[in-house]
């Protein structure tokens, strides 16, 4: 969405999950999306040799008479042979919880929903449950335990991990297990214990801005209703600008708009729109404003439009804010669009916008969305400037695109026929013309997203 032209000839792509929709780079780290390596999924491929040590060496590859690799670690040998004695496996669950094959077998046993097996595994894992939740394979076993234990056991489990709760949330594996815990606990009274672990403003703000922790907050927003998720809205409302201009925070901000009650949404949008001009110029904040526009609230869209109108030339000439203006021209009602049309068509503004590498896209969007009288006014303003547009570094393709789409702009057929513009490909022209280096791209998803 934030692809823009630039004078340097280098293309740049700014993609996030709505920041996108489908925050790019965002998305929850769930088993379905990421794959369960312990259950044969792809995400664990890089960790399959963790227990084997130097198995690739000559010495390690010597064969014993039974045909198995001679491995000194009995746990690894146990895993390699795959001959699991179920009783031994269950009673020694802690020993095999971090082993890929052992973890897989334990999950299968838990899926049988045998109360005695569940109790035995639970008791075995409980003392080290916090550590296992952050293990590449063990976190999937923890998720299965959380799904199968009874309410009393769930309460004991939450009490056990409370001291390390924040550390687990910030871990790339632990975040998945905690999301499952929130999902399951939401239907019980134990959810209050989970909320207590992160309800302090400094803790919830840390989670919102963390690449793993933000998915915990998004999970809370999706499964906890009002008033259980009020602690999140209190943090966001009081730290609105800081969160909206943060790489992960802007994704949480969009999800909070979706999950808010009418009263919470009013408080949120009021605080956001106080900083409209600053946010539209920010690499991340502009997505929050665009998201509000996409929600289609005519009153809020009019507020944004009138804010942008005050500095339309300056904002149109900037990469991120010009995208927001284009969104206004695309989504607003025609009355609101007309306010921008009138401002763009002013003699002191229109020529400067047309010859600017970013602002000319705003004019193209305005022309596409205009009708009747305003369409004619745009043609009248464009015709005297077409030759100047053709002579700019990037303008030849824009010039050709306009003539192709609006033949009414053609003035001198002889001069047009001699233009060195070559064959025209609109998709290629759009891609090549939208140029500029984006510092936000120097940062790294979780899937997520990605929108956002």
């Amino acid at each position: 969405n934030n692809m823009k032209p630039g004078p340097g000839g280098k293309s740049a792509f700014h993609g996030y999950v709505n920041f996108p929709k489908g925050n790019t780079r965002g998305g929850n780290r769930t088993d379905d999306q990421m794959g369960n390596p312990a259950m044969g999924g792809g995400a664990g491929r890089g960790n399959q040799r963790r227990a084997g040590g130097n198995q690739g060496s000559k010495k390690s590859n010597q064969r014993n008479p039974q045909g198995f690799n001679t491995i000194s670690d009995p746990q690894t040998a146990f895993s390699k042979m795959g001959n699991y004695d179920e009783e031994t496996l269950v009673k020694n669950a802690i020993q095999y919880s971090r082993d890929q094959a052992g973890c897989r077998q334990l999950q299968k046993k838990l899926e049988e929903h045998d109360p005695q097996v569940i109790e035995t595994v639970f008791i075995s894992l409980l003392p080290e449950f916090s550590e296992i939740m952050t293990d590449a394979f063990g976190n999937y076993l923890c998720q299965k335990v959380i799904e199968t234990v009874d309410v009393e056991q769930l309460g004991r489990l939450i009490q056990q991990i409370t001291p390390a709760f924040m550390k687990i949330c910030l871990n790339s594996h632990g975040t998945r297990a905690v999301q499952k815990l929130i999902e399951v606990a939401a239907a019980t009274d134990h959810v209050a214990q989970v909320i207590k672990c992160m309800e302090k403003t400094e803790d919830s703000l840390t989670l919102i801005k963390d690449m793993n922790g933000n998915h915990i907050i998004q999970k809370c927003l999706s499964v906890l209703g009002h008033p259980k998720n009020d602690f999140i809205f209190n943090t966001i409302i009081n730290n609105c600008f800081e969160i909206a201009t943060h790489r992960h925070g802007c994704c949480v901000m969009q999800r909070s708009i979706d999950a808010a009650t009418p009263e919470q949404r009013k408080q949120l949008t009021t605080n956001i729109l106080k900083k409209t001009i600053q946010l539209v110029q920010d690499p991340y904040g502009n997505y929050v404003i665009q998201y509000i526009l996409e929600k289609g609230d005519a009153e809020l869209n009019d507020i944004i439009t009138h804010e942008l109108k005050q500095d339309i030339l300056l904002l149109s000439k900037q990469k991120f804010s010009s995208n927001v203006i284009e969104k206004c021209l695309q989504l607003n009602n025609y009355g609101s669009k007309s306010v921008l049309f009138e401002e763009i068509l002013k003699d002191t503004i229109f020529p400067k916008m047309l010859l600017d590498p970013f602002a000319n896209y705003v004019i193209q969007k305005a022309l596409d969305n205009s009708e009747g009288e305003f369409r004619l006014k745009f043609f009248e303003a464009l015709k005297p400037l077409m030759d100047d547009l053709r002579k700019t570094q990037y303008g030849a393709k824009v010039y050709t695109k306009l003539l192709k789409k609006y033949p009414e702009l053609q003035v001198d057929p002889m001069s047009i026929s001699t233009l060195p513009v070559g064959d025209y490909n609109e998709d290629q022209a759009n891609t090549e013309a939208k140029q500029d280096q984006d510092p936000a791209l120097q940062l790294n998803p979780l899937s997520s997203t990605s929108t956002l």
Side-chain angles (χ1 to χ4, degrees), residues 24-59:
T24 54
R25 294 191 187 209
N28 281 344
R29 289 188 169 187
T30 60
D31 292 354
D32 291 339
Q33 293 171 326
M34 300 299 291
N36 182 341
M39 299 296 287
R45 191 180 298 258
N47 290 320
Q48 289 173 356
R49 292 170 52 182
R50 54 175 291 149
N54 57 354
Q55 295 169 2
S57 67
K58 256 186 178 180
K59 188 174 181 181

Side-chain angles (χ1 to χ4, degrees), residues 141-425:
L141 177 59
C142 289
Q143 291 181 55
K144 188 61 67 176
V145 170
I146 290 167
E147 286 178 347
T148 54
V149 294
D150 60 34
V151 175
E152 185 272 333
Q153 291 168 331
L154 183 65
R156 289 166 60 190
L157 187 155
I158 294 171
Q159 187 175 3
Q160 176 69 28
I161 68 169
T162 294
F165 186 85
M166 285 296 292
K167 181 179 178 181
I168 299 169
C169 289
L170 302 179
N171 179 271
S172 59
H173 305 298
T175 184
R176 298 167 178 163
V178 174
Q179 287 176 65
K180 178 61 69 175
L181 177 63
I182 292 169
E183 228 174 81
V184 174
T188 73
D189 293 337
H190 295 305
V191 70
Q193 292 175 264
V194 178
I195 292 172
K196 193 173 181 180
C197 295
M198 52 183 168
E199 66 181 355
K200 292 181 180 178
T201 298
E202 58 267 30
D203 290 338
S204 54
L205 188 59
T206 297
L207 291 175
I208 287 170
K209 295 167 69 175
D210 183 78
M211 66 180 296
N212 299 311
N214 81 88
H215 299 286
I216 303 295
I217 298 297
Q218 292 191 51
K219 177 61 72 172
C220 289
L221 289 169
S222 66
V223 303
L224 305 180
H226 171 75
K228 293 176 183 176
N229 59 16
D230 282 358
F231 73 98
I232 299 174
F233 286 98
N234 292 336
T235 299
I236 293 176
I237 289 169
N238 293 326
N239 299 273
C240 211
F241 186 77
E242 179 182 354
I243 292 171
T245 55
H246 187 271
R247 178 183 177 184
H248 304 298
C250 73
C251 301
V252 175
M253 184 72 80
Q254 292 174 59
R255 301 290 77 75
S256 65
I257 292 172
D258 291 335
T261 63
E263 182 59 34
Q264 288 170 335
R265 187 176 293 112
K266 183 178 180 180
Q267 284 183 280
L268 267 177
T269 53
T270 298
N271 282 14
I272 291 169
L273 297 186
K274 286 178 182 178
K275 300 283 187 179
T276 298
I277 299 300
Q278 294 96 315
L279 288 173
V280 297
Q281 298 176 77
D282 184 81
Y284 304 114
N286 81 89
Y287 285 105
V288 176
I289 301 297
Q290 289 189 57
Y291 196 69
I292 293 174
L293 289 168
E294 289 170 0
K295 302 305 287 184
D297 186 312
E299 183 180 350
L300 296 179
N301 287 13
D302 285 346
I303 293 172
I304 294 170
T305 299
H306 282 85
E307 284 287 323
L308 299 180
K309 173 191 170 184
Q310 308 304 319
D311 294 293
I312 195 162
L313 178 59
L314 173 66
L315 297 176
S316 296
K317 294 170 76 172
Q318 296 183 33
K319 177 174 181 175
F320 304 113
S321 50
S322 64
N323 280 316
V324 181
I325 296 173
E326 288 183 48
K327 188 75 75 173
C328 286
L329 292 167
Q330 179 183 348
L331 299 178
N332 286 4
N333 59 56
Y334 200 74
S336 185
K337 292 177 186 178
S338 299
V339 172
L340 295 177
F341 292 157
E342 290 174 354
E343 196 68 20
I344 292 170
L345 284 165
K346 287 183 177 179
D347 293 340
T348 55
I349 292 177
F350 189 87
K352 295 176 182 177
M353 288 183 62
L354 182 64
L355 302 178
D356 183 83
F358 295 137
N360 82 85
Y361 280 89
V362 174
I363 288 182
Q364 291 181 55
K365 186 66 72 173
L367 186 56
D368 292 342
N369 287 275
S370 62
E371 300 172 3
E373 182 183 352
F374 277 113
R375 175 69 63 88
L376 293 175
K377 286 183 178 180
F378 275 112
F379 287 159
E380 291 172 5
L382 275 167
K383 285 179 180 178
L385 299 170
M386 290 295 282
D387 193 54
D388 291 336
L389 178 64
R390 176 177 63 86
K391 294 174 182 176
T392 61
Q393 180 182 358
Y394 57 87
K397 290 178 181 177
V398 176
Y399 175 92
T400 307
K401 180 180 177 182
L402 287 171
L403 286 182
K404 184 179 178 74
K405 198 166 188 179
Y406 305 106
E408 303 96 316
L409 293 172
Q410 187 166 332
V411 180
D412 185 354
M414 292 300 294
S415 62
I416 293 170
S417 64
T418 59
L419 291 175
V421 294
D423 293 332
Y424 176 77
N425 181 309

